[in-house]
């Protein structure tokens, strides 16, 4: 894939970039390694001041950065601004909590003193996707840098200007040269970066095939990875749910970021008791969404980020319809320039149609009926993914069963799945492993060192061994 800014609303190629040459890449990795030697010894207070400064820069440059995202990957501008605010939030969160999350933890044993001590691991490569081009990077970078690690970013090839802007934010904030660098490279060079002895670990947010590849390479080098991969989250509606809120949240949960979110609700599993009402109201609200220019504040759905994504969504819907799915609204691209796809609702899906078992990365919702809670849980778990799950019910027994039995990294009751700097985020099954955010996130890339001390009275120590 060429490294380029191509406006998905117009198809216009705005800027192209050359990949780093091998000597340039070598120079950047060497700089990272050199910086780590000193940066690892900086205090939490020093890092905190830098991270708070990064938050301020994000806030003061919000409009420019949001616009950059919208032009590179088509995100509606309202959501782009909110994304920048959330990045500032995660910087502040870790600036304020890193010291506490990584404080020594005393443990009582037979030793005079024993405790757990957390140390940075070194350079971490972050391979990141375009869909939340700032948030995905900041939720990695803020904890990594606060822990004393240094970061190398290989961003998606369609958001090079976002990637460069992020590097610049950390530079302007005062982080030492080399603490956070963007590598403008294609995915073909990822292997050589992971294999480099100066790179300690890798994290990838992206698709399943990319995750398998990165984890395979890193596994071969015995280097740790965190994988945040795709999802096909269920959104279950039971009879006791408040229908108004469930319907409007369902629409938002499916169409956030024009439907291109890993934790978007993709499969709506509705109790047969309330299915007709849910279907009618959901379709009405999906049809009412405003599709169009992502730079307009009033736009709900922008273009899909690339032409290939548009083609993939078209093909998944077409094949599902051929297998018997009914289109309740939408079902086709817009007859205009740009990668626009209509908000779409599919029903009557077979369990093996592409829309049912693959991740659909666009504004396409799938409706399923469940006769009982067992049906609902069975359908929800009938996928290889296990990222998030939402269940709407006011019945406490149903609630307990959803919390216990849904196969996912997080369960939201009467709400939509969303990430929050204070809570761990990540999946199970083919959605990946490891966690970002919260105290669990900052402990992924640290050496959890056991310290065991036998206090010996002076003079009794046997030096002969
Ligand atoms: P993608 O094609 O996997 O790309 C993600 C990143 O991986 C890009 O930087 C890409 O570089 C790189 N890449 C692709 N193939 C690679 C390979 N074989 N080896 C090394 N790097 C490789 O995914 P995407 O289409 O950008 O993003 C959408 C996917 O990300 C969806 O599946 C979505 O669910 C998932 N996602 C997951 C989360 C989560 O938190 N779980 C969050 C957001 C998105 P190039 O651009 O140069 O190809």
């Amino acid at each position: 894939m060429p490294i380029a800014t191509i406006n998905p609303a117009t198809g216009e190629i705005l800027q192209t970039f050359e990949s780093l040459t091998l000597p340039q890449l070598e120079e950047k990795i060497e700089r990272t390694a050199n910086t780590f030697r000193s940066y690892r010894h900086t205090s939490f207070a020093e890092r905190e001041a830098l991270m708070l400064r990064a938050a301020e820069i994000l806030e003061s440059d919000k409009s420019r950065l949001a616009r950059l995202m919208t032009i590179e990957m088509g995100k509606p501008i309202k959501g782009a601004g909110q994304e920048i605010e959330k990045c500032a939030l995660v910087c502040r969160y870790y600036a304020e909590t890193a010291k506490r999350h990584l404080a020594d933890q005393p443990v009582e044993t037979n030793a005079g003193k024993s405790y757990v001590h957390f140390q940075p691991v070194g350079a971490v490569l972050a391979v990141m996707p375009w869909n939340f081009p700032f948030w995905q990077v900041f939720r990695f970078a803020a904890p990594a840098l606060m822990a004393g690690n240094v970061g190398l970013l290989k961003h998606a090839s369609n958001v090079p200007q976002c990637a460069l802007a992020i590097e610049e934010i950390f530079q302007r904030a005062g982080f030492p040269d080399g603490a956070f660098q963007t590598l403008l490279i294609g995915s073909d060079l990822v292997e050589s970066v992971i294999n480099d002895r100066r790179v300690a670990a890798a994290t990838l947010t992206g698709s399943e095939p990319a995750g398998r590849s990165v984890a395979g390479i890193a596994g071969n080098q015995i280097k740790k990875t965190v994988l945040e991969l795709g999802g096909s989250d269920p959104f279950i509606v039971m009879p006791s749910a408040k229908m108004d809120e469930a319907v409007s949240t369902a629409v938002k949960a499916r169409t956030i970021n024009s439907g291109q979110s890993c934790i978007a609700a993709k499969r709506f599993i509705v109790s047969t008791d309330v299915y007709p009402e849910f279907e009618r109201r959901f379709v009405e609200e999906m049809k009412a969404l405003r599709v169009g220019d992502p730079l307009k504040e009033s736009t709900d759905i922008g273009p899909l980020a690339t032409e290939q994504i548009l083609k993939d969504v078209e093909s998944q819907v077409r094949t599902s319809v051929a297998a018997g799915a009914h289109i309740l609204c939408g079902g086709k691209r817009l007859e205009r320039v740009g990668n626009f796809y209509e908000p779409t609702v599919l029903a009557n899906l077979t369990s093996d149609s592409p829309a049912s078992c693959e991740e659909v990365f666009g504004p396409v919702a799938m409706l399923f009926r469940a006769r009982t809670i067992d049906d609902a849980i069975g359908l929800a778990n009938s996928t290889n993914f296990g990222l998030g799950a939402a269940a709407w019910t006011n019945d406490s027994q149903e609630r307990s069963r959803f919390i216990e039995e849904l196969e996912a990294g997080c369960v939201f009751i009467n709400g939509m799945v969303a990430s929050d700097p204070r809570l761990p985020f990540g999946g199970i099954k083919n959605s990946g492993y490891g966690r970002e955010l919260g105290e669990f996130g900052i402990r992924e890339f640290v050496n959890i060192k056991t310290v065991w001390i036998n206090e010996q009275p002076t003079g009794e120590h046997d030096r002969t061994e």
Side-chain angles (χ1 to χ4, degrees):
M1 203 156 132
I3 303 175
T5 301
I6 304 173
N7 185 338
T10 62
E12 201 182 344
I13 300 173
L14 298 175
Q15 203 171 340
T16 55
F17 295 80
E18 290 295 320
S19 169
L20 293 179
T21 60
L22 289 178
Q24 286 169 331
L25 182 58
E26 158 60 29
E27 194 254 307
K28 282 185 183 277
I29 296 176
E30 183 59 15
R31 193 183 313 161
T32 292
N34 286 337
T35 303
F36 178 61
R37 272 182 219 112
S38 51
Y39 183 70
R40 65 176 303 166
H41 299 300
T42 53
S43 67
F44 281 111
E46 286 169 274
R47 294 176 207 158
E48 179 184 336
L50 299 174
M51 198 53 78
L52 291 176
R53 179 77 194 112
E56 284 163 13
I57 294 169
L58 283 160
E59 283 159 351
S60 64
D61 267 9
K62 183 173 105 174
S63 311
R64 181 181 69 86
L65 299 171
R67 195 182 157 81
L68 190 55
M69 256 190 277
T70 298
I71 283 174
E72 284 207 305
M73 51 66 69
K75 185 187 298 282
I77 194 79
K78 206 168 22 172
Q82 289 160 356
E83 183 170 335
I84 297 295
E85 285 165 16
K86 198 166 171 181
C87 292
L89 196 68
V90 79
C91 289
R92 292 189 193 286
Y93 169 77
Y94 278 113
E96 285 153 19
T97 60
K99 186 174 175 186
R100 174 161 48 86
H101 291 328
L102 299 179
D104 286 350
Q105 288 185 357
V107 180
E108 219 164 284
T109 65
N110 60 338
K113 185 178 180 186
S114 48
Y115 60 96
V116 182
H117 181 57
F118 300 97
Q119 291 183 310
V121 292
V124 183
L125 171 70
V127 183
M128 290 287 146
W130 47 264
N131 63 340
F132 291 90
F134 274 71
W135 170 242
Q136 307 292 3
V137 176
F138 274 88
R139 77 181 187 186
F140 151 74
L145 290 168
M146 283 307 299
N149 291 314
V150 291
L152 289 168
L153 169 65
K154 183 271 177 270
H155 217 326
S157 293
N158 57 330
V159 287
Q161 296 195 55
C162 290
L164 293 169
I166 294 169
E167 179 183 65
E168 192 193 300
I169 289 166
F170 287 118
Q171 278 171 358
R172 280 171 60 200
F175 281 91
D177 192 29
F180 187 91
Q181 294 184 87
T182 283
L183 308 176
L184 284 186
I185 53 172
S187 54
D188 55 321
L189 285 181
V190 166
E191 179 165 11
S192 66
V193 179
I194 298 173
N195 286 343
D196 194 294
R197 65 183 163 72
R198 295 162 293 185
V199 174
T203 180
L204 178 133
T205 300
S207 62
E208 216 181 306
R212 283 183 197 283
S213 168
V214 163
I217 297 161
N220 203 34
Q221 295 289 337
I222 321 195
K223 292 184 182 177
K224 174 147 185 197
T225 46
V226 165
L227 298 181
E228 299 284 359
L229 309 179
S232 187
D233 286 8
F235 186 107
I236 300 169
V237 183
M238 298 303 282
S240 63
K242 286 218 167 75
M243 194 52 77
D244 285 351
E245 226 187 302
V247 171
S248 57
T249 310
V251 171
K252 188 170 167 209
R254 173 60 281 206
T255 58
I256 190 159
N257 204 30
S258 309
Q260 304 161 111
S261 167
C262 53
I263 45 167
K266 289 167 188 144
R267 298 173 300 131
F268 296 84
I269 299 167
V270 185
S271 160
T272 43
D273 294 357
V274 289
Y275 182 91
E277 183 186 0
F278 181 89
E279 181 190 282
R280 180 177 53 76
R281 293 174 65 173
F282 183 69
V283 171
E284 263 169 32
E285 290 198 23
M286 286 288 279
K287 277 183 179 168
L289 293 169
R290 286 158 299 198
V291 186
D293 182 356
L295 285 168
K296 278 195 183 155
E297 283 285 336
S298 57
T299 295
D300 298 309
I301 309 268
L304 299 179
T306 65
E307 201 180 345
Q308 186 57 48
I309 295 162
L310 176 67
K311 285 184 180 158
D312 291 345
V313 171
E314 280 186 301
S315 151
Q316 285 169 313
V317 171
R318 203 181 314 117
T319 325
S320 298
V321 170
H326 297 164
I327 297 177
L328 303 183
C329 68
K332 57 183 191 315
R333 66 183 295 172
L334 257 62
E335 293 301 326
R336 58 173 281 181
V337 96
N339 308 326
F340 294 91
Y341 197 83
E342 290 181 344
T344 297
V345 181
L346 300 178
N348 198 40
L349 289 130
T350 56
S351 57
D352 58 351
S353 68
S356 304
C357 44
E358 295 169 5
E359 180 180 37
V360 181
F361 228 50
V364 179
M366 292 161 273
L367 300 188
F368 299 87
R369 292 167 208 257
R371 277 182 303 105
T372 62
I373 186 169
D374 292 312
D375 273 358
I377 293 172
L379 269 168
N381 291 343
S382 68
T383 146
N384 292 330
F385 294 112
L387 195 52
W392 288 70
T393 173
N394 286 299
D395 177 308
S396 60
Q397 280 184 350
E398 285 179 358
R399 177 179 299 193
S400 304
R401 284 201 59 193
F402 288 131
I403 292 168
E404 284 307 313
E405 296 177 41
L406 287 174
E407 294 168 1
C410 61
V411 174
F412 280 58
I413 303 292
N414 298 335
M416 71 179 253
V417 176
S419 58
D420 179 320
R422 298 164 294 189
L423 289 169
F425 182 92
I428 59 169
K429 295 162 77 177
N430 290 7
S431 291
Y433 51 73
R435 291 294 178 263
E436 293 191 293
L437 302 176
E439 73 177 278
F440 296 93
I442 199 169
R443 296 221 184 113
E444 287 286 0
F445 294 116
V446 287
N447 175 14
I448 303 172
K449 188 182 260 183
T450 295
V451 181
W452 190 99
I453 303 169
N454 185 18
E455 304 283 6
Q456 294 187 317
T458 324
E460 285 185 15
H461 183 60
D462 179 2
R463 288 174 188 280
T464 57
E465 293 205 14

